[in-house]
């Protein structure tokens, strides 16, 4: 049984969608990152980077959302894409892992969480997030899926962050990116998405972004204890 360490944030949601789309059996282990549960020794033995998500599969641990998607798709043979598209698949997965995700996260941080007055950082990360969206929008012209002609882990991975476009980019969201908007609406209408959004709906995660939450979520902003 796969144990899935989960919080309702973009990277864990990718894995949630994969699991619901494929029907692989799993057990949800709620990880309340605003309470700092990701920093416990027990969890850091699974993910030494102290982030969500992570999984354990028997004696195997896997952390980082795209690594989890690759591991599960290769193990199950599901959503892998066609062998002839392997290079394209790896390229887009790395684009999302090293570009779309991190720059989106930094855009959210500097626009919504950082102190006022950091105009350079706000502009830098917003513009870079916009650039990554432009790359995807151009790629999706005339295409139904990111890689090849079938739904794959590339679509799953991108969906996790594109779902937060309005938070990353502002109120316009996907409006300036019509090809990406069309793709997102198609993916977002899949029944597995609704099931993924409902994971751990009975769990009361911490919601208040108070000092405890800030220290848990942004530990590098504070001196080491």
């Amino acid at each position: 049984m796969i144990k899935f360490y989960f919080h309702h944030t973009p990277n864990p949601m990718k894995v949630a969608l994969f699991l619901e789309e494929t029907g692989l059996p799993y057990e949800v282990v709620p990880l309340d990152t605003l309470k700092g549960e990701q920093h416990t020794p027990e969890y850091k033995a699974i993910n030494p980077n102290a982030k969500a998500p992570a999984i354990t599969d028997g004696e195997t641990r896997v952390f980082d959302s795209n690594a989890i998607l690759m591991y599960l798709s290769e193990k199950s043979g599901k959503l892998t894409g066609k062998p002839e598209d392997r290079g394209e698949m790896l390229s887009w997965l790395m684009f999302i892992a090293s570009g779309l995700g991190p720059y989106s996260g930094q855009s959210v941080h500097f626009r919504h969480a950082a102190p006022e007055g950091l105009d350079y950082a706000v502009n830098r990360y917003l513009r870079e997030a916009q650039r990554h969206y432009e790359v995807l929008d151009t790629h999706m012209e005339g295409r139904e899926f990111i890689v090849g002609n079938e739904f794959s882990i590339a679509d799953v991975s991108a969906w996790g962050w594109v779902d937060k476009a309005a938070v990353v980019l502002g109120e316009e969201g996907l409006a300036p990116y019509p090809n990406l908007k069309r793709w997102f609406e198609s993916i977002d209408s899949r029944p597995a998405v609704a099931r993924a959004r409902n994971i751990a709906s009975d769990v009361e995660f911490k919601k208040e972004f108070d000092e405890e939450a800030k220290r848990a979520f942004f530990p590098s902003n504070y001196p080491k204890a």
Side-chain angles (χ1 to χ4, degrees), residues 11 15 18 33 46-47 58 62 124 129 160 168 184 218:
N11 289 321
V15 178
F18 180 92
T33 54
I46 298 167
N47 184 352
V62 192
R124 160 72 177 165
V168 173
F184 175 76
F218 309 128

PDB file of all heavy atoms in Angstrom, residues 11 15 18 33 46-47 58 62 124 129 160 168 184 218:
ATOM      1  N   ASN A  11       1.883  21.047  -5.374  1.00  0.00           N
ATOM      2  CA  ASN A  11       2.689  19.866  -5.664  1.00  0.00           C
ATOM      3  C   ASN A  11       2.043  18.564  -5.178  1.00  0.00           C
ATOM      4  O   ASN A  11       2.006  17.585  -5.934  1.00  0.00           O
ATOM      5  CB  ASN A  11       4.095  20.045  -5.106  1.00  0.00           C
ATOM      6  CG  ASN A  11       4.879  21.065  -5.908  1.00  0.00           C
ATOM      7  OD1 ASN A  11       4.790  21.119  -7.129  1.00  0.00           O
ATOM      8  ND2 ASN A  11       5.654  21.901  -5.223  1.00  0.00           N
ATOM      9  N   VAL A  15       0.142  14.692  -7.378  1.00  0.00           N
ATOM     10  CA  VAL A  15       0.172  13.271  -7.031  1.00  0.00           C
ATOM     11  C   VAL A  15      -1.242  12.771  -6.745  1.00  0.00           C
ATOM     12  O   VAL A  15      -1.612  11.655  -7.126  1.00  0.00           O
ATOM     13  CB  VAL A  15       1.105  13.034  -5.834  1.00  0.00           C
ATOM     14  CG1 VAL A  15       1.117  11.561  -5.434  1.00  0.00           C
ATOM     15  CG2 VAL A  15       2.512  13.507  -6.161  1.00  0.00           C
ATOM     16  N   PHE A  18      -2.846  12.058 -10.045  1.00  0.00           N
ATOM     17  CA  PHE A  18      -2.336  10.813 -10.635  1.00  0.00           C
ATOM     18  C   PHE A  18      -2.972   9.597  -9.970  1.00  0.00           C
ATOM     19  O   PHE A  18      -3.434   8.665 -10.650  1.00  0.00           O
ATOM     20  CB  PHE A  18      -0.819  10.729 -10.498  1.00  0.00           C
ATOM     21  CG  PHE A  18      -0.249   9.465 -11.085  1.00  0.00           C
ATOM     22  CD1 PHE A  18       0.184   9.434 -12.390  1.00  0.00           C
ATOM     23  CD2 PHE A  18      -0.173   8.303 -10.327  1.00  0.00           C
ATOM     24  CE1 PHE A  18       0.688   8.252 -12.942  1.00  0.00           C
ATOM     25  CE2 PHE A  18       0.321   7.125 -10.861  1.00  0.00           C
ATOM     26  CZ  PHE A  18       0.756   7.094 -12.178  1.00  0.00           C
ATOM     27  N   THR A  33       1.375  21.301   6.980  1.00  0.00           N
ATOM     28  CA  THR A  33       2.612  22.068   6.825  1.00  0.00           C
ATOM     29  C   THR A  33       2.563  23.411   7.545  1.00  0.00           C
ATOM     30  O   THR A  33       3.612  23.993   7.831  1.00  0.00           O
ATOM     31  CB  THR A  33       2.916  22.285   5.340  1.00  0.00           C
ATOM     32  OG1 THR A  33       1.786  22.879   4.690  1.00  0.00           O
ATOM     33  CG2 THR A  33       3.233  20.958   4.668  1.00  0.00           C
ATOM     34  N   ILE A  46      11.705  10.439   5.672  1.00  0.00           N
ATOM     35  CA  ILE A  46      11.074  10.111   4.390  1.00  0.00           C
ATOM     36  C   ILE A  46      11.430  11.143   3.341  1.00  0.00           C
ATOM     37  O   ILE A  46      11.790  10.805   2.219  1.00  0.00           O
ATOM     38  CB  ILE A  46       9.540  10.024   4.567  1.00  0.00           C
ATOM     39  CG1 ILE A  46       9.197   8.910   5.551  1.00  0.00           C
ATOM     40  CG2 ILE A  46       8.837   9.808   3.225  1.00  0.00           C
ATOM     41  CD1 ILE A  46       7.764   8.946   6.041  1.00  0.00           C
ATOM     42  N   ASN A  47      11.328  12.423   3.709  1.00  0.00           N
ATOM     43  CA  ASN A  47      11.719  13.502   2.804  1.00  0.00           C
ATOM     44  C   ASN A  47      12.692  14.428   3.521  1.00  0.00           C
ATOM     45  O   ASN A  47      12.267  15.299   4.292  1.00  0.00           O
ATOM     46  CB  ASN A  47      10.492  14.293   2.323  1.00  0.00           C
ATOM     47  CG  ASN A  47      10.873  15.362   1.304  1.00  0.00           C
ATOM     48  OD1 ASN A  47      12.061  15.617   1.063  1.00  0.00           O
ATOM     49  ND2 ASN A  47       9.886  15.991   0.709  1.00  0.00           N
ATOM     50  N   GLY A  58       6.188   0.445   0.372  1.00  0.00           N
ATOM     51  CA  GLY A  58       6.954  -0.587   1.047  1.00  0.00           C
ATOM     52  C   GLY A  58       8.180   0.042   1.692  1.00  0.00           C
ATOM     53  O   GLY A  58       8.070   0.977   2.477  1.00  0.00           O
ATOM     54  N   VAL A  62       9.971   8.046  -1.843  1.00  0.00           N
ATOM     55  CA  VAL A  62      10.120   8.916  -3.010  1.00  0.00           C
ATOM     56  C   VAL A  62       9.621  10.295  -2.610  1.00  0.00           C
ATOM     57  O   VAL A  62       8.515  10.431  -2.078  1.00  0.00           O
ATOM     58  CB  VAL A  62       9.326   8.425  -4.243  1.00  0.00           C
ATOM     59  CG1 VAL A  62       9.755   9.201  -5.483  1.00  0.00           C
ATOM     60  CG2 VAL A  62       9.489   6.931  -4.460  1.00  0.00           C
ATOM     61  N   ARG A 124      10.368  40.705 -10.847  1.00  0.00           N
ATOM     62  CA  ARG A 124      11.218  39.635 -11.371  1.00  0.00           C
ATOM     63  C   ARG A 124      10.467  38.312 -11.444  1.00  0.00           C
ATOM     64  O   ARG A 124      10.437  37.653 -12.489  1.00  0.00           O
ATOM     65  CB  ARG A 124      12.449  39.496 -10.483  1.00  0.00           C
ATOM     66  CG  ARG A 124      13.212  38.179 -10.566  1.00  0.00           C
ATOM     67  CD  ARG A 124      13.961  38.035 -11.853  1.00  0.00           C
ATOM     68  NE  ARG A 124      14.727  36.784 -11.858  1.00  0.00           N
ATOM     69  CZ  ARG A 124      15.253  36.252 -12.941  1.00  0.00           C
ATOM     70  NH1 ARG A 124      15.137  36.854 -14.111  1.00  0.00           N
ATOM     71  NH2 ARG A 124      15.939  35.126 -12.881  1.00  0.00           N
ATOM     72  N   ALA A 129       7.296  34.069 -14.123  1.00  0.00           N
ATOM     73  CA  ALA A 129       6.128  33.175 -14.149  1.00  0.00           C
ATOM     74  C   ALA A 129       5.349  33.388 -15.444  1.00  0.00           C
ATOM     75  O   ALA A 129       4.949  32.422 -16.112  1.00  0.00           O
ATOM     76  CB  ALA A 129       5.239  33.425 -12.938  1.00  0.00           C
ATOM     77  N   GLY A 160      -1.163  20.932 -11.635  1.00  0.00           N
ATOM     78  CA  GLY A 160      -1.047  21.285 -10.224  1.00  0.00           C
ATOM     79  C   GLY A 160      -0.780  22.757 -10.000  1.00  0.00           C
ATOM     80  O   GLY A 160      -1.342  23.372  -9.085  1.00  0.00           O
ATOM     81  N   VAL A 168      -1.007  33.122  -8.818  1.00  0.00           N
ATOM     82  CA  VAL A 168       0.352  33.331  -9.316  1.00  0.00           C
ATOM     83  C   VAL A 168       0.452  34.616 -10.131  1.00  0.00           C
ATOM     84  O   VAL A 168       1.391  35.409  -9.959  1.00  0.00           O
ATOM     85  CB  VAL A 168       0.794  32.131 -10.183  1.00  0.00           C
ATOM     86  CG1 VAL A 168       2.141  32.412 -10.848  1.00  0.00           C
ATOM     87  CG2 VAL A 168       0.876  30.864  -9.336  1.00  0.00           C
ATOM     88  N   PHE A 184      -6.275  23.704 -19.906  1.00  0.00           N
ATOM     89  CA  PHE A 184      -6.583  23.562 -18.484  1.00  0.00           C
ATOM     90  C   PHE A 184      -8.043  23.185 -18.269  1.00  0.00           C
ATOM     91  O   PHE A 184      -8.345  22.304 -17.446  1.00  0.00           O
ATOM     92  CB  PHE A 184      -6.269  24.859 -17.735  1.00  0.00           C
ATOM     93  CG  PHE A 184      -6.674  24.803 -16.289  1.00  0.00           C
ATOM     94  CD1 PHE A 184      -5.918  24.100 -15.372  1.00  0.00           C
ATOM     95  CD2 PHE A 184      -7.846  25.415 -15.863  1.00  0.00           C
ATOM     96  CE1 PHE A 184      -6.309  24.014 -14.035  1.00  0.00           C
ATOM     97  CE2 PHE A 184      -8.240  25.334 -14.539  1.00  0.00           C
ATOM     98  CZ  PHE A 184      -7.467  24.630 -13.619  1.00  0.00           C
ATOM     99  N   PHE A 218       8.200  29.048   6.101  1.00  0.00           N
ATOM    100  CA  PHE A 218       9.385  29.756   5.617  1.00  0.00           C
ATOM    101  C   PHE A 218      10.509  29.670   6.646  1.00  0.00           C
ATOM    102  O   PHE A 218      10.981  30.685   7.153  1.00  0.00           O
ATOM    103  CB  PHE A 218       9.050  31.222   5.345  1.00  0.00           C
ATOM    104  CG  PHE A 218       7.840  31.459   4.473  1.00  0.00           C
ATOM    105  CD1 PHE A 218       6.830  32.314   4.900  1.00  0.00           C
ATOM    106  CD2 PHE A 218       7.706  30.824   3.245  1.00  0.00           C
ATOM    107  CE1 PHE A 218       5.717  32.541   4.107  1.00  0.00           C
ATOM    108  CE2 PHE A 218       6.602  31.043   2.449  1.00  0.00           C
ATOM    109  CZ  PHE A 218       5.608  31.907   2.872  1.00  0.00           C
TER     110      PHE A 218
END
